[in-house]
Amino acid sequence: MTALGVSLLRGAVTSPFKRAGGPGATLPTGRAVLPAAPAAPAPLAAYRTLCGFTDPETLPLTYPHVLGFPLAMRLMTERSFPLPVLGLVHTWIEITAHRPPRPEDRLELTVYAAELTSHRRGTEVTMVTEARCAGETVWESRSGYLSRHAAAGGTAARSRGTTVRAGTPAVAAETAPPDAPAAGAGLPAVAEWRLPGDLGRRYGAVSGDRNPIHLHPLTARLFGFPRHLAHGMWTVARCLAEAETGAGTGTGTGTRPGTGAGTDTGAKDRARIRSVRAEFKAPVLLPATVTYAAAGDAFLLRGGDRVHLTGTVVRER
């Protein structure tokens, strides 16, 4: 069993004994570290193919997060972690590449829990992943994971709450982070992608994230979903690959309105994406047909009238 599989099993065992939103909750101060090593070529190539990345000289912007995710799961399933990992919802992610990591870079990954924040739907934890090369921080991500629960007194958490940072007592917070509106719903369609029913299993194989909600309809129903779900991080990666190249390669490709599958003649003129902020709005049930829409620095993924993902990018100047 992989390290991530062990963490998922440990989370299933420990989650029933944890109660989110309890008074005096604190975050563990420990950090998980993956020793410096270059990316393994075969898994990297499989990830690029599945997500549609085409640049062989740099790592996909999302890939260090994939490498660090087993460390995050290890921390979030420890006994000292205050939230049950079962039911945690990945709500947002921010990624910044201070310089483009290369496949041959010996990246040392460090993951830690940064803070707990009151949210109107429960409690949100921010997990941080940092990648260093020869002591220099070259890449980092911050992710929000929401544990839904009623606030003390049986009502939903209010807008004024508390923030708890790792190893510190609770301090007052002005407001809990509100849910971002589905901004950009009017963005023009760029491509339509048909997502196959086995996408979750294929992404699980290349990323190591074999959460049962992504694998089969039967296992997803055990957690209350009518069908299995696409990984949220695949949707972000696929959108970034399209934003970078516009070439329509990889799994989940289709036609461009008015042009057919085609290629984007302006792809070579695009500046490299330096950072991204994405908000997960609604799960994608598999199989599915979704539309990637974008204009300027904004993008989204939608299925019919339902927005699944919104985001913005910052490109190098």
Side-chain angles (χ1 to χ4, degrees):
M1 182 178 291
T2 65
L4 186 54
V6 171
S7 294
L8 287 171
L9 181 60
R10 183 169 61 239
V13 172
T14 60
S15 287
F17 300 98
K18 296 183 179 183
R19 292 291 179 267
T26 59
L27 282 173
T29 58
R31 298 185 174 212
V33 178
L34 186 67
L44 173 58
Y47 180 86
R48 280 192 177 123
T49 298
L50 189 65
C51 298
F53 291 103
T54 59
D55 183 0
E57 297 181 359
T58 63
L59 290 181
L61 187 62
T62 47
Y63 198 62
H65 178 88
V66 172
L67 297 177
F69 185 67
L71 301 181
M73 282 297 298
R74 191 172 83 197
L75 292 177
M76 291 192 290
T77 56
E78 289 181 350
R79 292 174 61 89
S80 58
F81 193 78
L83 304 179
V85 71
L86 290 185
L88 278 184
V89 179
H90 197 181
T91 51
W92 57 270
I93 186 168
E94 295 175 346
I95 302 175
T96 300
H98 300 291
R99 74 152 172 82
R102 297 179 294 270
E104 64 271 19
D105 285 341
R106 297 180 61 84
L107 296 181
E108 178 188 80
L109 298 176
T110 302
V111 179
Y112 59 93
E115 63 183 27
L116 287 175
T117 307
S118 297
H119 187 283
R120 65 186 182 87
R121 293 180 178 174
T123 301
E124 188 174 74
V125 63
T126 299
M127 301 296 295
V128 177
T129 303
E130 297 171 343
R132 292 179 176 82
C133 184
E136 174 195 5
T137 300
V138 298
W139 180 101
E140 60 186 311
S141 73
R142 297 174 65 86
S143 284
Y145 296 90
L146 175 65
S147 179
R148 298 186 181 187
H149 61 83
T155 60
R158 301 301 180 187
S159 61
R160 185 173 183 84
T162 59
T163 296
V164 181
R165 293 179 174 84
T168 65
V171 296
E174 290 300 319
T175 58
D179 287 347
L187 292 176
V190 175
E192 184 179 84
W193 302 327
R194 293 175 294 278
L195 312 186
D198 66 349
L199 177 59
R201 296 188 290 278
R202 294 170 65 187
Y203 185 81
V206 302
S207 69
D209 184 359
R210 292 182 173 88
N211 187 319
I213 65 173
H214 302 300
L215 302 182
H216 297 278
L218 289 178
T219 54
R221 288 185 194 122
L222 296 175
F223 296 90
F225 296 100
R227 300 199 307 276
H228 52 310
L229 318 176
H231 291 74
M233 285 306 300
W234 180 87
T235 66
V236 174
R238 185 66 191 88
C239 288
L240 288 177
E242 183 72 19
E244 284 184 355
T245 68
T249 59
T251 294
T253 61
T255 59
R256 296 168 174 278
T259 65
T263 58
D264 189 339
T265 57
K268 294 182 179 179
D269 298 329
R270 286 189 174 91
R272 190 187 307 276
I273 294 173
R274 181 176 183 272
S275 66
V276 62
R277 161 90 185 194
E279 307 268 351
F280 301 102
K281 298 298 182 181
V284 179
L285 301 177
L286 296 173
T289 297
V290 295
T291 298
Y292 168 76
D297 295 330
F299 67 89
L300 63 78
L301 192 70
R302 61 177 179 249
D305 294 330
R306 192 178 198 191
V307 174
H308 299 290
L309 174 76
T310 63
T312 55
V313 299
V314 176
R315 297 180 184 271
E316 293 180 351
R317 296 181 180 276

